[in-house]
């Protein structure tokens, strides 16, 4: 009796209905064996979800097949097609056939009758090599087609591969005759989508990621792992245990600050398509088109301007400061009052009714120090300087003209309709983001991350994209501001006209304004207030208050049109 075994392989991990499915391959092979006189089926070998094209892929049953052939456990290997055995080309196929032949094992293909080394066929090896070469070329062509298709889909912003991001669902839409996968937030009521909305709300309110993770865990919000199907969740747990070499203690899953940050930093929250992961920060980048513009094919949980603002909060660049209930100072907690020693912002000390800078350790050239100034004293000093400057404005004076231009621009933006303000905020956020990206790109180059011809080309191409987007943002911002400012005028006459001539008199506009309205007014004319150390003590220090306070007046923003050096 001739001992014949079957070998099947399929790249897909799941069973399919195709003619080359593992089930169909096996049934066809067994039927062929049963049709031959004196042949019997002596075993079966099967590799599913494994490539025959990639030489780095380990196929357990193929290796077992070759070991058993060396042990002379069978006489014939029956395959569906040669491509099931290997797609690595004629040389690899001939190597496998030669080793089988050395151990007295023949090879038969049910779909390629000319591949039958069990017969005395002088053309068998030649046909074998030809078919092996064709299978290899087919895989090369297929691989290139897939790569090109994925590249085109990715350029359109399609979610081409991998699991759908947490909180999203995917739908297929047509874009330029291409079917792309568009992401959109899960509807309210679905746990993952609601968890993302809650994270955003907490983060925008100033809650740090670690506290967000604790809150979600305490409220028993399911983690991303717990929301997966049980089989997939267990697969990931097993991979994690193997990677970390630790035993599962059976504790319930908990949220971590790492997971919260990864979700909140994902550009897809704002509808952006993602590019490659930044090798330095390990964050997902925003995919940009040929002109440097962000690709935004998806629906997001938030508008781009809000996402950019959230990244500032996460970076600690715009910390959320909370005031005591019912208390709000004029110059505290919004970054306008700065220490003259270390240039840091001054905080409210309500117990002493002062603005305070308390540097507890040396930072750079600034030694540790404590600098205080009375809240009322500083508030009055700054307000008095602003009103005095307004009362003495001279349109012919160049400095006064610049101050009025800046104030008019800011007042127009304060009074702009919400849609225009939102558009401007988004453009300014995009501009700041791309300028920060440019700065980081140059830091990476200086650190040696863009060496060699390929690295320099990549660096120059990325810089040109960023520059193009930066220019368009600045032009768009200039147009928005120009159209807004041209339709708005400063109500100077309403502000400075007072019968008593005292802007602080009872019944004046200043006396009627709330703290928020006074802040908005001060912000029109002042960029920063610098508080210098007091000289002397007591009456002498109080008398020199004006010398301690420097008001830096508002100036119009001048775009920087200089090109960035890409050499």
């Amino acid at each position: 009796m001739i001992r014949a075994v079957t070998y099947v392989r399929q790249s897909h991990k799941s069973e399919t209905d195709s003619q080359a499915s593992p089930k169909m391959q096996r049934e066809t092979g067994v039927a062929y064996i049963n049709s031959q006189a004196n042949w019997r089926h002596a075993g079966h070998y099967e590799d599913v979800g494994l490539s025959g094209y990639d030489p780095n892929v380990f196929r357990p049953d193929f290796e077992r097949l070759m070991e058993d052939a060396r042990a002379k456990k069978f006489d014939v290997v029956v395959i569906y097609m040669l491509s099931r055995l290997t797609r690595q080309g004629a040389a690899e196929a001939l190597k496998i056939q030669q080793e089988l032949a050395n151990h007295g094992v023949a090879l038969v293909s049910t779909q390629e009758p000319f591949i039958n080394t069990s017969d005395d066929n002088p053309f068998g090896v030649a046909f074998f090599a030809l078919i092996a070469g064709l299978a290899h070329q087919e895989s090369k062509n297929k691989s290139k087609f897939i790569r090109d298709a994925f590249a085109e889909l990715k350029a359109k912003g399609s979610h081409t591969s991998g699991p759908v991001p947490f909180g999203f669902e995917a739908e297929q839409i047509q874009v330029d005759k291409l079917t792309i996968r568009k992401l959109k937030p899960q509807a309210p009521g679905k746990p993952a989508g609601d968890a993302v909305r809650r994270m955003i709300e907490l983060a925008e309110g100033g809650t740090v990621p670690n506290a967000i993770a604790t809150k979600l865990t305490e409220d028993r919000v399911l983690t991303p792992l717990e929301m997966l199907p049980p089989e997939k969740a267990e697969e990931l747990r097993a991979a994690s245990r193997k990677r970390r070499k630790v035993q599962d203690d059976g504790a319930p899953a908990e949220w971590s600050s790492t997971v919260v940050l990864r979700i909140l930093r994902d550009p897809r929250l704002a509808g952006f398509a993602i590019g490659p992961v930044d090798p330095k920060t390990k964050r997902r980048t925003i995919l940009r088109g040929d002109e440097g513009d962000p690709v935004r094919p998806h629906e997001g949980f938030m508008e781009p301007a809000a996402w950019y603002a959230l990244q500032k909060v996460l970076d600690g660049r715009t910390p959320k400061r909370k005031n005591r209930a019912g208390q709000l100072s004029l110059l505290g907690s919004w970054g306008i009052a700065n220490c003259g020693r270390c240039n840091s912002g001054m905080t409210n000390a309500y117990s002493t009714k002062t603005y305070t800078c308390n540097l507890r350790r040396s930072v750079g050239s600034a030694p540790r120090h404590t600098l205080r100034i009375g809240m009322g004293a500083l508030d009055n000093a700054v307000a008095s300087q602003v009103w005095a400057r307004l009362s003495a404005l001279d349109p012919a004076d160049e400095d006064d003209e610049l101050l009025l231009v800046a104030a008019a621009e800011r007042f127009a933006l304060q009074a702009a309709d919400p849609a225009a303000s939102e558009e401007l905020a988004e453009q300014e956020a995009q501009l700041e983001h791309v300028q920060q990206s440019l700065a980081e790109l140059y830091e990476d180059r200086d650190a040696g991350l863009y060496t060699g011809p390929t690295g320099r080309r990549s660096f120059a191409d990325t810089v040109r994209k960023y520059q193009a987007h930066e220019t368009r943002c600045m032009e768009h911002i200039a147009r928005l501001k120009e159209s807004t400012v041209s339709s708005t005028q400063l109500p100077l006459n309403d502000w400075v006209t007072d019968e008593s001539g005292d802007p602080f008199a009872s019944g004046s506009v200043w006396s009627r304004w709330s703290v928020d309205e006074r802040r908005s007014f001060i912000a029109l004319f002042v960029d920063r207030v610098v508080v210098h150390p007091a000289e002397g003590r007591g009456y002498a220090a109080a008398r020199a208050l004006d010398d301690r306070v420097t008001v830096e007046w508002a100036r119009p923003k001048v775009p920087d049109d200089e090109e960035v050096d890409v050499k």
Side-chain angles (χ1 to χ4, degrees):
M1 294 292 291
I2 302 296
R3 298 167 299 170
V5 299
T6 48
Y7 174 77
V8 307
R9 182 192 63 78
Q10 179 175 270
S11 298
H12 305 291
K13 288 187 178 181
S14 57
E15 182 71 44
T16 68
D17 294 328
S18 69
Q19 291 185 344
S21 71
K23 180 181 178 183
M24 180 62 70
Q25 290 181 55
R26 177 174 180 167
E27 290 177 350
T28 303
V30 171
Y32 180 87
I33 292 170
N34 292 336
S35 69
Q36 305 298 308
N38 298 324
W39 284 32
R40 68 178 177 85
H41 189 216
H44 178 70
Y45 303 81
E46 182 171 309
D47 287 312
V48 177
L50 298 171
S51 170
Y53 177 69
D54 188 348
N56 297 317
V57 170
F58 178 77
R59 292 185 281 161
D61 259 25
F62 173 76
E63 297 298 332
R64 188 167 65 88
L65 173 79
M66 298 305 291
E67 285 294 325
D68 290 350
R70 297 180 192 109
K72 301 184 184 298
K73 291 185 177 181
F74 48 77
D75 306 301
V76 179
V77 175
V78 178
I79 56 178
Y80 185 75
M81 296 177 70
L82 183 56
S83 62
R84 301 301 91 199
L85 190 66
T86 180
R87 284 181 176 270
Q88 295 175 34
E92 178 65 18
L94 288 170
K95 178 181 174 182
I96 295 171
Q97 186 273 331
Q98 188 61 52
E99 184 170 2
L100 291 173
N102 289 342
H103 297 289
V105 177
L107 187 68
V108 174
S109 169
T110 63
Q111 303 301 302
E112 299 149 330
F114 33 80
I115 295 181
N116 188 339
T117 61
S118 65
D119 294 336
D120 235 352
N121 184 354
F123 299 104
V125 174
F127 277 123
F128 189 90
L130 174 63
I131 296 302
L134 291 174
H136 179 63
Q137 187 60 44
E138 178 194 5
S139 284
K140 285 181 65 176
N141 294 340
K142 184 178 180 181
S143 179
K144 183 178 184 305
F145 172 79
I146 291 173
R147 286 197 306 271
D148 291 347
F150 267 70
E152 188 172 0
L153 287 169
K154 188 175 180 181
K156 299 291 184 184
S158 175
H159 180 71
T160 52
S161 62
V164 174
F166 183 73
F168 284 92
E169 56 190 30
E171 64 176 354
Q172 293 186 343
I173 62 172
Q174 292 291 124
V175 177
D176 296 337
K177 298 182 180 180
L178 282 175
T179 300
I180 74 170
R181 294 176 74 201
K182 176 184 175 181
L183 301 176
K184 64 179 183 179
Q186 289 184 356
K190 292 191 175 182
D194 287 346
V196 172
R197 292 182 185 91
R198 189 170 181 194
M199 277 184 263
I200 293 171
E201 181 181 1
L202 289 170
E204 289 180 331
T207 307
V208 297
N210 191 50
I212 294 175
T214 300
K215 183 67 175 172
L216 294 176
T217 301
E218 289 175 348
D219 293 347
R220 298 184 180 180
V221 176
L222 296 179
T223 65
L225 186 65
E226 291 175 309
M227 292 187 191
L228 291 174
E231 307 82 23
K232 182 64 176 177
E234 181 52 38
E235 180 184 331
L236 292 177
R237 286 193 189 97
S240 178
R241 287 194 294 267
K242 183 178 180 181
R243 185 170 59 251
R244 299 179 183 179
K245 297 181 179 180
V246 296
Q247 296 299 318
D248 190 348
D249 59 5
E254 295 184 354
W255 284 87
S256 69
S257 59
T258 302
V259 173
V260 170
L261 266 177
R262 184 169 64 241
I263 292 172
L264 292 176
R265 288 202 181 278
D266 195 327
R268 290 172 291 194
L269 284 187
F272 294 122
I274 56 171
V277 173
D278 187 302
K280 184 175 69 173
T281 63
K282 306 302 180 185
R283 299 177 190 172
R284 296 181 177 95
T285 58
I286 296 174
L287 181 68
R288 297 181 180 275
D290 293 337
E291 301 299 322
D293 298 308
V295 178
R296 190 168 179 249
H298 309 301
E299 290 181 30
F301 281 88
M302 56 203 310
E303 291 301 316
W307 182 81
Y308 286 122
L310 177 60
Q311 304 316 298
K312 288 185 183 181
V313 173
L314 296 174
D315 289 337
R317 287 182 286 153
T318 54
K320 296 287 184 180
R321 295 174 181 162
K322 298 181 180 179
N323 294 287
R324 292 189 178 185
Q327 292 181 309
L328 186 65
S329 62
L330 178 63
L331 301 176
S333 303
W334 57 296
I336 196 170
N338 296 268
C339 174
R341 282 188 173 179
C342 64
N343 203 36
S344 60
M346 301 185 71
T347 59
N348 295 328
Y350 290 104
S351 60
T352 58
K353 296 184 179 180
T354 60
Y355 297 122
T356 304
C357 176
N358 189 1
L359 191 65
R360 299 182 182 276
R361 59 184 178 83
S362 298
V363 178
S365 60
R368 54 183 299 179
H369 60 267
T370 299
L371 188 149
R372 299 179 185 275
I373 190 169
M375 285 185 177
L378 184 61
D379 293 347
N380 292 334
V382 173
S384 296
Q385 288 196 47
V386 171
W387 283 108
R389 181 80 186 266
L390 285 182
S391 300
L393 282 174
D394 181 2
D397 183 274
E398 184 177 352
D399 284 341
D400 285 351
E401 183 182 5
L402 289 174
L403 178 63
L404 285 173
V405 170
E409 181 180 272
R410 297 179 185 189
F411 181 76
L413 296 178
Q414 287 180 7
D417 69 90
S421 297
E422 183 176 336
E423 185 178 4
L424 180 60
E426 178 178 339
Q427 289 298 314
E428 289 180 332
Q430 283 198 32
L431 177 61
E432 182 177 358
H433 189 271
V434 78
Q435 288 174 338
Q436 182 184 356
S437 298
L438 270 171
E440 291 174 352
L441 194 66
Y442 268 83
E443 289 176 5
D444 291 345
R445 184 197 63 173
D446 294 341
L449 296 183
Y450 291 95
T451 57
T454 302
R456 287 193 291 270
R457 281 197 301 272
S458 174
F459 172 80
D461 181 60
T462 305
V463 168
R464 277 191 288 270
K465 283 187 177 183
Y466 284 173
Q467 284 179 337
H469 186 55
E470 180 186 32
T471 300
R472 279 192 297 278
C473 281
M474 290 192 296
E475 291 174 349
H476 196 176
I477 289 169
R479 286 195 299 270
L480 286 171
K481 287 185 175 180
E482 183 180 0
S483 62
T484 303
V485 172
S486 62
S487 60
T488 311
Q489 290 185 341
L490 278 173
L492 289 175
N493 291 333
D494 296 338
W495 289 340
V496 300
T497 301
D498 189 276
E499 294 180 359
S500 66
D502 182 2
F504 305 108
S506 176
S508 65
V509 290
W510 181 263
S511 67
R512 295 195 304 267
W513 282 339
S514 66
V515 176
D516 281 330
E517 289 172 320
R518 291 179 180 181
R519 281 185 169 194
S520 298
F521 176 76
I522 294 293
L524 296 177
F525 302 98
V526 177
D527 278 337
R528 279 196 341 144
V529 175
V530 181
V531 180
H532 304 284
E535 296 182 6
R537 294 180 177 276
Y539 179 75
R543 188 176 180 183
L545 179 63
D546 289 342
D547 296 333
R548 291 189 62 191
V549 179
T550 299
V551 174
E552 295 183 5
W553 299 99
R555 287 290 183 270
K557 289 184 179 179
V558 179
D560 181 8
D561 294 328
E562 293 184 3
E563 289 290 321
V564 178
D565 178 20
V566 298
K567 295 182 181 179

